[in-house]
Amino acid sequence: MFGCIAAGRPVQTNLNALSPTQYVLLLPTSPAQPLNHLVVFLLPDTSLPPNTAASVYIQLSPSQPFILLGAIGNEKPSAIFRVKGLSAAVPAEGEVDVDDMTDEGAGGVGAGVGNTSASGAGSGSETTISLGISIEPLSSVLASLSSLPSTIQSAQTPRTATPAPGQLVLAANKPPTILTLARRIIKNAFNYLSSFAVRADVPGQGVMDVVPLKAFQDWWVKFERKVELDPGMLERED
């Protein structure tokens, strides 16, 4: 159901199933073969049960607890996690040092993670890291992600509207339908053109509000320009 790519290594899909909802993959590391980034993804033609998501964890050694990295789901079937430098810097209450976990988000599960780093440099010898994936109710996954320390959440969120790596994307973020876009365009045109309406006596139709053709032409030029400068304008409108 799941696959993993460690930078510089072959794709791995042979995760061990501990249960129908829990999977683990062992990743040997050493100073000669460090582990810097992980890509976790759903295999093609597979999907999670409705209203669930997959939490992604990492364990730096068998004697240490798992650390939450983020999550993937049907709406976001893959994510990239930076694990280079992930080490013992886990202060009280499971908070991970922001400098060690830039952008990808992490939260401690249980106690701290000792002095082993994801690159294996802490001991200078080969280390086996465990990647854990757990299928959980969507509400539980979102609660875990939202409970990350505020400093970590700030580091997760980039300055643009693009979700941070590992951040779960909900179905509510799907693009609007063609009908919705059409309605927004019409609304934009109506709001602009209504200010140019004048009362006129139209032969055969009586007195009514009319809009000069030039006003429509001006609206179209301005609307095109706004869309060119901000392609996502219509997606953000109500």
Side-chain angles (χ1 to χ4, degrees), residues 4 6 9 12 15-16 18 23-29 35 38 40 55-69 81 83 86 113 116-119 126-134:
C4 174
R9 307 186 191 188
Q12 299 185 69
L15 280 74
N16 296 319
L18 304 180
Y23 300 81
V24 67
L25 176 66
L26 302 182
L27 299 166
T29 66
L35 187 63
L38 288 176
V40 179
S55 295
V56 180
Y57 300 88
I58 192 169
Q59 184 186 43
L60 301 181
S61 77
S63 62
Q64 297 167 358
F66 278 90
I67 301 170
L68 176 64
L69 292 177
F81 304 101
V83 295
L86 178 60
V113 295
T116 304
S117 69
S119 64
E126 182 171 309
T127 303
T128 298
I129 290 176
S130 298
L131 175 72
I133 301 177
S134 175

Side-chain angles (χ1 to χ4, degrees), residues 21-121:
T21 60
Q22 294 181 319
Y23 300 81
V24 67
L25 176 66
L26 302 182
L27 299 166
T29 66
S30 67
Q33 190 180 32
L35 187 63
N36 298 323
H37 293 81
L38 288 176
V39 180
V40 179
F41 57 92
L42 285 171
L43 295 178
D45 302 320
T46 63
S47 61
L48 298 175
N51 299 315
T52 65
S55 295
V56 180
Y57 300 88
I58 192 169
Q59 184 186 43
L60 301 181
S61 77
S63 62
Q64 297 167 358
F66 278 90
I67 301 170
L68 176 64
L69 292 177
I72 60 175
N74 292 331
E75 296 80 20
K76 186 183 181 184
S78 65
I80 303 174
F81 304 101
R82 179 189 176 191
V83 295
K84 179 181 180 180
L86 178 60
S87 63
V90 183
E93 301 182 3
E95 297 183 4
V96 178
D97 190 290
V98 178
D99 293 335
D100 286 343
M101 296 299 295
T102 303
D103 294 338
E104 282 70 31
V109 179
V113 295
N115 294 317
T116 304
S117 69
S119 64

Side-chain angles (χ1 to χ4, degrees), residues 52 75 118 141 146 154 176 196 210:
T52 65
E75 296 80 20
V141 174
S146 64
S154 298
F196 294 91
V210 296

